[in-house]
Amino acid sequence: MANHGRSSDARYPEGQYPPGRGRPADPPPGWRPGGQAQARPEPPDELPPPEWADPATGRRWTTSWRVPPTSEQPMLPTPPRERPAPPPGRRATGAMPLRETGGWPAAPSPADATRTVGTVRATAANRALDPTRTTGAMRATGAQPTTDANSADATRTTGGVRTSGAMRTAKPIAPGTGKARIVLPVVVLAVIALGLVGVGYLWWQNTVFLHTPGAVLTDIGEILGLLAGYGVVVLVALMSRLPPLERGIGTDRLARWHATGGRYVISFVSGHVVFIVWGFAVTAHESVTKETITLEKTFPDILMATVAWFLLLMVAAISIRAARRRVAYETWYYAHLYTYLAIALAFSHQFANGGAFAESFRARVAWSALYAVVGALLLWYRVITPLRSAARHQFTVQAVRPEAPGIVSLLIAGREFDHLRAEPGQFFRWRFLTRELWWQSHPYSLSAMPQPDLMRITVKARGDHSGSLANLRPGTRIIAEGPYGAFTPSLTGRRVLFIAGGVGITPIRAMFAALPKRMSGGITLLYRASHPRDVVFSRELNAIASDRQASLHYLIGSREELGYDPLDASHLQQTVPGLHRYEAYVCGPTGMTQAAVSALVAAGIPRRRVHHESFDL
């Protein structure tokens, strides 16, 4: 592996990642309620904080962290809140003091030497007193001793883990233009549109046009039925987990297409029922109710088609956004399985009663082949492939460790993980084989670059399934499907901006570590959290920032507490100079992600260069 392409995760020995906190973290060194930060020696080989916790007084830290501003690190506008005056003889540097202490760190001695580590300028006094000075954001931590993470004989202690020698990790990110992410969706949509044209041609060629009112209504019903039959196949194909689609388009975008297409399919099916019954009723000069009963009794497979229609209506009702928020993920997921039953019931109805297939053998063969191919893809990639992968890689829970309140990391042991070709930012669907969880499969992102025998995911308790993962025992077997997702970095030659919110840091952390050293100085990470206790991986992020000479900002506190939105367009432009030249990657809660994407576009980044991933699959 090329030296400049190695991941920062290469500094950790095989079978290990940096140890998690496992306990509430300590405030910055020397901090004490109601007083100044006192000088305290720092272990020479230990990564500096921040690793935060609530102060003993119970008051919240509502500010964020940053070292003193430099020419490369502009000062964010100070939120409108009280700011204590500096002690006599002390000149303000523009950095905001700790709000809880009410005091200022002691001035550095003139004899203190300064040095530059990465892009952070720090003094020896700053490292001893307070490596994290506070304002609206944090660029990176205090100075850190660095070694070449790629050297075969380099050794150091990182967060309590002694590292030695080089190790194998996932292959480095390959340069690319990012055009595939634009071209492939267009190609797929064009193929879907071409299929719609074929459906229209099939209907046109096999329909005898009679210009009576009843015949016109019936013809409309038939084309709607054909569109519905084609639509359900497209919906299944989009969610068949076909690797080219998953990696080239992305699961979240495919899910949005699936949801939009589902609304059209339900409309087509319902329109098909209404127009067919109405057309037959007009032709027979009967009421719609009486004609409905007659059709159910007379035509074969009509009853099965009616059951299929009601099943689809049930799935659609559960999938409405208002209802989706009130039902468990498992209920929503397993209700969708009834869609396959509905498709099977409707398929026989199409051949038995569809006028387009009655006289055309080629139409029946082509339609059957379409359904068979999509069904085979579904069976292969959603059933057979996961079982083969589980047998080959032997996924097993190695350890569970807490990272923050309600957030845990799972270390997944196994073999030949490097053959999975997982990329930073991707995720797997995990099925933990315990008595309570074996029937559920949930998507969780990798939070570190995979090693040949170890992967790590980090999960926030947001429901019954994610909350129960903290209780998993080492040795629990797993079936994992993946890797999935197109939310991966592409080396286009531009600078890279990451914006993470809350537990959205998990894929961003892996991407942050994977960028090559040749991008030193061209990487910026903004980490947004409501409270210091919600911050995870700060020690790892600090180490990666130092190794990659990256800019690292912690944006801590609610907008009400800060007095401004650190992710609006104006503040983003001040935090990241030359923002319009960046390629941006955003991951976090849906509301934050949408707001950040809009702000980045408003700040001058073209929409095609803003990539994001949503948790709402």
Side-chain angles (χ1 to χ4, degrees), residues 18-42:
R21 289 183 286 183
R23 58 176 180 79
D26 299 325
W31 187 90
R32 60 179 181 177
Q36 294 187 163
Q38 302 296 315
R40 185 173 72 182
E42 187 178 51

Side-chain angles (χ1 to χ4, degrees), residues 203-246:
W203 171 77
W204 183 268
Q205 286 293 107
N206 295 279
T207 299
V208 178
F209 294 98
L210 301 176
H211 299 292
T212 61
V216 170
L217 293 173
T218 302
D219 291 342
I220 295 174
E222 288 183 353
I223 183 60
L224 290 176
L226 287 174
L227 291 174
Y230 172 72
V232 294
V233 174
V234 171
L235 294 183
V236 172
L238 290 177
M239 303 309 291
S240 64
R241 299 172 189 168
L242 188 65
L245 299 184
E246 292 285 343

Side-chain angles (χ1 to χ4, degrees), residues 17 27 40 43 60 70 129 131 175 193 197 257 260 263 273 286 329 348 371 447 554 560:
Y17 286 118
R40 185 173 72 182
R60 289 166 58 106
T70 66
L129 293 174
V197 173
W257 289 1
T260 301
R263 290 189 283 271
V273 173
E286 298 284 354
Y329 172 85
S348 61
Y371 273 71
S447 59
Y554 293 88
E560 292 75 14

Side-chain angles (χ1 to χ4, degrees), residues 309-332:
W309 179 42
F310 280 111
L311 288 174
L312 292 176
L313 290 177
M314 178 196 70
V315 173
I318 293 178
S319 300
I320 295 174
R321 182 168 298 180
R324 175 71 182 87
R325 295 171 180 169
R326 291 175 171 81
V327 299
Y329 172 85
E330 293 77 19
T331 302
W332 171 84

Side-chain angles (χ1 to χ4, degrees), residues 150-238:
N150 302 314
S151 174
D153 58 354
T155 60
R156 63 174 295 174
T157 300
T158 303
V161 178
R162 187 78 174 171
T163 67
S164 177
M167 60 167 291
R168 293 186 298 149
T169 58
K171 66 178 182 179
I173 300 172
T177 62
K179 291 183 179 178
R181 297 176 178 174
I182 301 175
V183 173
L184 185 59
V186 173
V187 171
V188 171
L189 292 176
V191 171
I192 294 174
L194 187 62
L196 289 174
V197 173
V199 170
Y201 177 78
L202 175 65
W203 171 77
W204 183 268
Q205 286 293 107
N206 295 279
T207 299
V208 178
F209 294 98
L210 301 176
H211 299 292
T212 61
V216 170
L217 293 173
T218 302
D219 291 342
I220 295 174
E222 288 183 353
I223 183 60
L224 290 176
L226 287 174
L227 291 174
Y230 172 72
V232 294
V233 174
V234 171
L235 294 183
V236 172
L238 290 177

Side-chain angles (χ1 to χ4, degrees), residues 335-351:
H336 268 65
L337 296 182
Y338 285 105
T339 303
Y340 302 125
L341 176 59
I343 294 173
L345 293 174
F347 181 79
S348 61
H349 160 69
Q350 295 175 64
F351 278 8

Side-chain angles (χ1 to χ4, degrees), residues 231-591:
V232 294
V233 174
V234 171
L235 294 183
V236 172
L238 290 177
M239 303 309 291
S240 64
R241 299 172 189 168
L242 188 65
L245 299 184
E246 292 285 343
R247 300 187 181 190
I249 298 178
T251 303
D252 58 338
R253 181 185 287 187
L254 290 173
R256 291 195 295 271
W257 289 1
H258 179 85
T260 301
R263 290 189 283 271
Y264 282 109
V265 167
I266 292 297
S267 300
F268 291 154
V269 172
S270 300
H272 167 72
V273 173
V274 170
F275 279 97
I276 287 292
V277 174
W278 189 10
F280 274 74
V282 169
T283 301
H285 303 287
E286 298 284 354
S287 67
V288 171
T289 303
K290 186 175 181 180
E291 187 62 26
T292 300
I293 297 173
T294 301
L295 290 174
E296 294 287 351
K297 292 180 177 179
T298 304
F299 287 88
D301 301 314
I302 287 288
L303 182 60
M304 289 192 298
T306 303
V307 173
W309 179 42
F310 280 111
L311 288 174
L312 292 176
L313 290 177
M314 178 196 70
V315 173
I318 293 178
S319 300
I320 295 174
R321 182 168 298 180
R324 175 71 182 87
R325 295 171 180 169
R326 291 175 171 81
V327 299
Y329 172 85
E330 293 77 19
T331 302
W332 171 84
Y333 177 81
Y334 282 99
H336 268 65
L337 296 182
Y338 285 105
T339 303
Y340 302 125
L341 176 59
I343 294 173
L345 293 174
F347 181 79
S348 61
H349 160 69
Q350 295 175 64
F351 278 8
N353 307 119
F357 303 109
E359 302 296 334
S360 175
F361 175 76
R362 289 188 301 175
R364 292 196 297 272
V365 170
W367 201 256
S368 300
L370 178 65
Y371 273 71
V373 168
V374 172
L377 291 175
L378 188 74
L379 178 64
W380 181 261
Y381 287 109
R382 298 194 65 164
V383 179
I384 298 176
T385 297
L387 294 176
R388 293 175 67 243
S389 179
R392 175 181 181 181
H393 299 290
Q394 300 291 309
F395 301 99
T396 307
V397 174
Q398 183 188 81
V400 180
R401 69 187 189 202
E403 299 284 359
I407 301 178
V408 298
S409 284
L410 275 68
L411 301 183
I412 311 296
R415 63 189 185 188
E416 298 183 353
F417 288 166
D418 46 341
H419 294 171
L420 289 168
R421 296 184 295 173
E423 298 182 27
Q426 290 188 313
F427 67 93
F428 287 73
R429 294 181 180 271
W430 305 91
R431 187 183 302 272
F432 299 93
L433 302 183
T434 67
R435 185 170 57 182
E436 298 80 13
L437 302 178
W438 68 268
W439 53 280
Q440 304 177 42
S441 173
H442 287 253
Y444 298 119
S445 298
L446 297 174
S447 59
M449 291 288 286
Q451 300 178 5
D453 60 350
L454 185 69
M455 291 194 291
R456 185 181 71 181
I457 61 175
T458 303
V459 181
K460 181 176 183 178
R462 303 174 67 194
D464 294 339
H465 184 274
S466 54
S468 64
L469 298 187
N471 300 319
L472 287 177
R473 295 182 178 181
T476 300
R477 299 297 297 272
I478 308 169
I479 295 177
E481 305 174 49
Y484 297 132
F487 186 65
T488 57
S490 178
L491 302 186
T492 61
R494 300 185 183 91
R495 300 176 180 178
V496 175
L497 170 65
F498 296 117
I499 300 180
V503 78
I505 191 64
T506 52
I508 294 292
R509 186 264 179 230
M511 296 161 67
F512 191 41
L515 293 179
K517 274 195 170 182
R518 63 175 177 269
M519 294 188 63
S520 293
I523 309 170
T524 300
L525 169 59
L526 308 182
Y527 188 176
R528 186 79 174 92
S530 298
H531 191 277
R533 65 168 168 257
D534 297 327
V535 174
V536 295
F537 305 138
S538 60
R539 292 185 185 272
E540 297 178 34
L541 295 174
N542 298 339
I544 296 168
S546 177
D547 187 47
R548 291 295 185 262
Q549 300 183 17
S551 299
L552 174 58
H553 304 253
Y554 293 88
L555 310 177
I556 312 297
S558 67
R559 285 175 292 183
E560 292 75 14
E561 293 170 326
L562 294 174
Y564 64 98
D565 184 359
L567 294 183
D568 64 23
S570 61
H571 287 95
L572 285 174
Q573 288 174 322
Q574 295 179 64
T575 308
V576 188
L579 182 61
H580 63 282
R581 296 193 295 268
Y582 279 76
E583 194 96 9
Y585 299 84
V586 185
C587 186
T590 303

